[in-house]
Amino acid sequence: MDDYGFKKWCVFIGLIWGNMIRAHQVPCFFIFGDSLVDNGNNNGILSLAKANYFPYGIDFPGGHTGRFCNGKSTVDVIAECLGFSEYIPAYAYATDQDIIRGVNYASAAAGIRDETGQHLGERFSFRMQLHNHKNVVSRIKKLLGSKADAFEHLAKCIYSVGLGSNDYLNNYFVPQSYSTARDYSPEQYAEALIKHYFHQIKTLYKHGARKVVVTGIGQIGCSPHALAYMSEDGRTCVQTVDIDVQLFNTKLKKMIEDLNNEFLDAKFIYVNAYDIFGDLLKRAQDYGFEVTNVGCCGVGRNHGQISCLPMETPCQNRSKFVFWDAFHPSEAANVIVGLRSYKAESESDVYPMDIYHLADLHIGE
């Protein structure tokens, strides 16, 4: 076992033992996002953005649930770290008993902007996810007996928000279907997204959120899809893509500062997915990976021109691949990103604190 493998084993054993001897670190966990964390909300709608078929979920205990991965997503890993014995259910299937401990509203192809992803069919934009959460909050008020009791409960929860990728991949970078690239410069577009995002996060606060995790956009210029279509050698990340994304991420971190300054009875944190994933790619061998530029499942150059098809045979050594398909990380990569989001390995991983410390905060006391 190499050094990193030993560290992962220690973390795994520590998490198992910790979960056995303590209660949940928080009572509930609410998730908003896109295909990186969708766990089945798109299954029943008219959308091309679905993953409820084999070989998706090939390594997940529940099989092809709708997760865009061979196994666990980052929020599944974070849920384990927080002490949950079961994964947070998709909104589409959540019962009253479920919603007390949290709901996953994420939807593949969703974005900050309402029109994002519309060429792929139906999806739940962030605005729609917030509307669904408002309905859940109303249900929780009835279950707990009063607004005061509901908000006391909700203030202890962790809220994970991660959108923006599709506002580039399925909007700004698709000029044949959207006008945003003609209407905005990269700087203007990032600014417009952040302005809209800021008001959406304030809506989440209005509905009782007091511990909010906002995850930035990762290095989408390094995905098999980007490499297949825009990288000459199929290995060098596409800088023109990642430069635009970093404009957004820089403004997003400043947005977190602004939110913390405005709402003193809440705490907002930023997860630097871009640098975490960049470090993972840079030190791939140290993390146990052998393939960083090709999807485990997919068709064409880099297995990134067409994403994983139904009944396609994926690679056998899935833990050695950073990417599962044309766009999405493998479970092995998600475990690393999830763990570093929960307990930062580097000061640059999070700002101003990690999820572990956010969960332990006593807001308003």
Side-chain angles (χ1 to χ4, degrees), residues 230-346:
M230 292 181 280
S231 175
E232 286 189 11
D233 62 4
R235 301 193 67 86
T236 304
C237 297
V238 184
Q239 291 301 309
T240 53
V241 169
D242 285 337
I243 287 171
D244 287 356
V245 164
Q246 276 293 68
L247 287 173
F248 173 87
N249 285 333
T250 299
K251 294 177 185 296
L252 183 61
K253 186 176 179 181
K254 176 61 168 57
M255 185 190 84
I256 295 300
E257 290 183 7
D258 293 341
L259 286 165
N260 281 320
N261 288 332
E262 182 169 346
F263 300 107
L264 301 181
D265 62 340
K267 182 62 71 174
F268 303 83
I269 71 170
Y270 169 68
V271 173
N272 186 2
Y274 188 95
D275 282 355
I276 293 175
F277 208 80
D279 181 61
L280 188 157
L281 291 172
K282 184 178 179 180
R283 298 194 294 130
Q285 289 188 336
D286 294 339
Y287 284 111
F289 294 106
E290 296 176 359
V291 185
T292 62
N293 65 322
V294 176
C296 174
C297 187
V299 178
R301 188 180 188 223
N302 295 79
H303 289 177
Q305 290 179 291
I306 300 175
S307 209
C308 195
L309 296 173
M311 303 309 294
E312 183 179 340
T313 302
C315 66
Q316 294 299 308
N317 52 340
R318 293 180 285 278
S319 65
K320 303 298 183 183
F321 278 67
V322 170
F323 287 96
W324 160 248
D325 63 13
F327 299 99
H328 305 98
S330 65
E331 179 187 79
N334 283 336
V335 166
I336 293 166
V337 175
L339 287 175
R340 288 180 63 167
S341 301
Y342 178 73
K343 200 76 183 297
E345 183 177 304
S346 164

Side-chain angles (χ1 to χ4, degrees), residues 8 20 54 56 58 67 88 151 158 209 227 232 240 243 250 271 281 289 310 318 326 331-332 340 352 355:
K8 283 202 295 186
M20 288 172 62
F54 183 87
Y56 285 98
I58 189 172
R67 288 167 169 81
I88 305 303
F151 271 54
I158 293 290
L227 297 177
E232 286 189 11
T240 53
I243 287 171
T250 299
V271 173
L281 291 172
F289 294 106
R318 293 180 285 278
E331 179 187 79
R340 288 180 63 167
I355 296 173

Side-chain angles (χ1 to χ4, degrees), residues 13 34 51 82 129 137 219 230 233 307 336 361:
I13 295 300
D34 51 32
L82 289 169
Q129 292 179 38
V137 170
Q219 295 196 1
M230 292 181 280
D233 62 4
S307 209
I336 293 166
L361 277 184

Side-chain angles (χ1 to χ4, degrees), residues 3 24 94 105 188 204 223 259 293 304 325 365:
D3 183 58
H24 297 169
Y105 305 95
Q188 291 170 337
L204 188 59
S223 69
L259 286 165
N293 65 322
D325 63 13
E365 295 182 8

Side-chain angles (χ1 to χ4, degrees), residues 16 76 86-87 173 183 230 247 319:
I16 294 295
D76 291 327
E86 296 180 0
Y87 299 121
F173 295 153
D183 297 338
M230 292 181 280
L247 287 173
S319 65

Side-chain angles (χ1 to χ4, degrees), residues 15-205:
L15 289 173
I16 294 295
W17 180 247
N19 290 344
M20 288 172 62
I21 63 174
R22 65 173 171 81
H24 297 169
Q25 198 176 2
V26 292
C28 36
F29 185 24
F30 292 96
I31 299 155
F32 304 81
D34 51 32
S35 58
L36 291 171
V37 294
D38 186 352
N39 64 343
N41 287 308
N42 277 25
N43 291 356
I45 62 177
L46 297 175
S47 173
L48 294 175
K50 293 186 180 185
N52 57 336
Y53 57 83
F54 183 87
Y56 285 98
I58 189 172
D59 298 312
F60 190 75
H64 42 275
T65 58
R67 288 167 169 81
F68 286 73
C69 187
N70 59 303
K72 292 182 284 192
S73 68
T74 54
V75 293
D76 291 327
V77 175
I78 292 166
E80 291 176 340
C81 291
L82 289 169
F84 289 94
S85 58
E86 296 180 0
Y87 299 121
I88 305 303
Y91 172 75
Y93 308 106
T95 65
D96 280 350
Q97 184 178 0
D98 291 327
I99 65 175
I100 293 295
R101 65 183 184 89
V103 177
N104 185 333
Y105 305 95
S107 172
I112 296 166
R113 295 173 66 97
D114 272 1
E115 84 274 11
T116 289
Q118 64 186 5
H119 65 292
L120 297 172
E122 296 178 350
R123 69 263 169 245
F124 299 98
S125 67
F126 189 29
R127 179 184 62 81
M128 296 171 71
Q129 292 179 38
L130 289 169
H131 176 75
N132 289 339
H133 181 60
K134 180 181 178 182
N135 291 337
V136 164
V137 170
S138 295
R139 289 162 64 186
I140 290 175
K141 289 177 187 176
K142 292 179 181 178
L143 289 169
L144 297 184
S146 71
K147 179 179 178 180
D149 288 340
F151 271 54
E152 182 180 354
H153 175 75
L154 293 168
K156 300 172 184 176
C157 307
I158 293 290
Y159 297 77
S160 173
V161 183
L163 292 110
S165 295
N166 285 314
D167 293 290
Y168 286 92
L169 287 171
N170 289 306
N171 191 323
Y172 197 67
F173 295 153
V174 190
Q176 62 271 31
S177 300
Y178 302 89
S179 65
T180 45
R182 296 185 293 275
D183 297 338
Y184 301 95
S185 69
E187 176 77 23
Q188 291 170 337
Y189 188 62
E191 187 64 38
L193 284 177
I194 291 297
K195 184 177 181 180
H196 198 35
Y197 212 10
F198 182 82
H199 289 292
Q200 291 172 323
I201 299 293
K202 286 175 71 171
T203 298
L204 188 59
Y205 171 88

